[in-house]
Amino acid sequence: MSTTAPSQINDQPPRHVAIVMDGNGRWANQRHLPRVEGHRAGAKSVRMVVEESRRLGIRYLTLFAFSTENWQRPAEEVGALMGLFAQYLEHELTLMLKNDVRLRAIGDLARLPEAVRRSLCATMQKTERANGLDLILAISYGGREELTSACKSIASDVVQGKLNPDQITNQCIRDHLYAPDVPDPDLLIRTSDEYRISNFLLWQLAYSEIVVTPVLWPDFNKQEYMACLEAYNKRNRRFGLTSEQIEEARARACP
Ligand code: FPP
C-alpha cells in the first residue's frame, strides 16, 4: 500500500497508534519517590492503553518502551526497567491471549539481558496467532539504528548481485525495516509536554498526526486517551495533496 495515498478517512479510529510514554521520572520526582516507582506506575497506563486500543478496534499499537539511548541511564534504573519488562510479560500473557493480542518487538533485541529476551520471545511465540491487536514494543530501539540496519542489508543485497541500485525505492527501504508489514502510524501521542520525536520510528512517522499532552505517562488514563483520539479525529489529513484532491478521493471511496 502506498504511504502517501489518502488511505484513511479520518472519521474512523486510527489503524495504528504509536506512543512515546514520557514523564515517569518527573511523576516520581513530584512525589519524592525513586524514578523506578514512576516506571512501575507507568506500567498501569500500558495496561490501560492496550485494553482500550483493543476495545476500540485499533489494529496496531506501538509503545516506545526503551530507546537505544536509554542504555546510558544509570545501571540501577536500566536494571529496574528490565525487571519491569520481564514482570509485565509474565503477568500479561493470559490477558493477551484472552484479548487476542499479538506481542511483537522491534529494536536491537540482542542487547537485552538473556532473561528478558527469553520472556519476550516466549510471549511472542505464544501469542503469534492472535490477530485482534498487534502490540509492538519498541525496546532497545532507535530509528537511526533501524535505518542503518536497513541500509546495511540493502548494501549487502547489492554486493551479492541480488539487487540493482535502481531497485532501491521507498518500498525497498520499507521492506528492510524491522516490521515491514506494519502500516505507518496514523497517530503519534507523546505525553509530558515534550515536542520531540526522540529517534522514534523516523521513517514511519513521515505523515503521522502528532498529539502532545501535558499529562505525565503514569497519569495517562482512559479520558486522556480518548481526548487524544478526538484530537486526531479533528485533523484534516492531506498527505501532501490538496483538500480538493482529498475530497475527490473520499467521493470515489464512498460514492
Ligand atoms: C520515559 O520517561 C519512559 C521510559 C524511558 C520507560 C518507559 C517504560 C515504562 C512506561 C514502563 C512500563 C513499560 C512496559 C512496556 C511494561 P522518563 O523516565 O524519561 O521520564 P522523565 O522525562 O520525566 O525523566
Side-chain angles (χ1 to χ4, degrees), residues 53-87:
S53 301
R54 178 72 184 97
R55 191 179 67 76
L56 293 164
I58 290 164
R59 187 62 190 77
Y60 302 90
L61 175 67
T62 301
L63 301 179
F64 204 0
F66 193 86
S67 72
T68 309
E69 292 75 19
N70 289 155
W71 286 116
Q72 293 158 40
R73 288 196 176 191
E76 194 190 338
E77 182 171 345
V78 172
L81 272 167
M82 293 300 143
L84 262 180
F85 297 144
Q87 236 177 43

Side-chain angles (χ1 to χ4, degrees), residues 21-26 35 39 42-43 46 64-65 70 73 77 81 84-85 88 137 217:
M21 310 182 285
D22 199 7
N24 295 348
R26 274 162 284 171
R35 290 177 61 83
H39 298 312
V46 169
F64 204 0
N70 289 155
R73 288 196 176 191
E77 182 171 345
L81 272 167
L84 262 180
F85 297 144
Y88 173 82
L137 291 187
W217 178 251

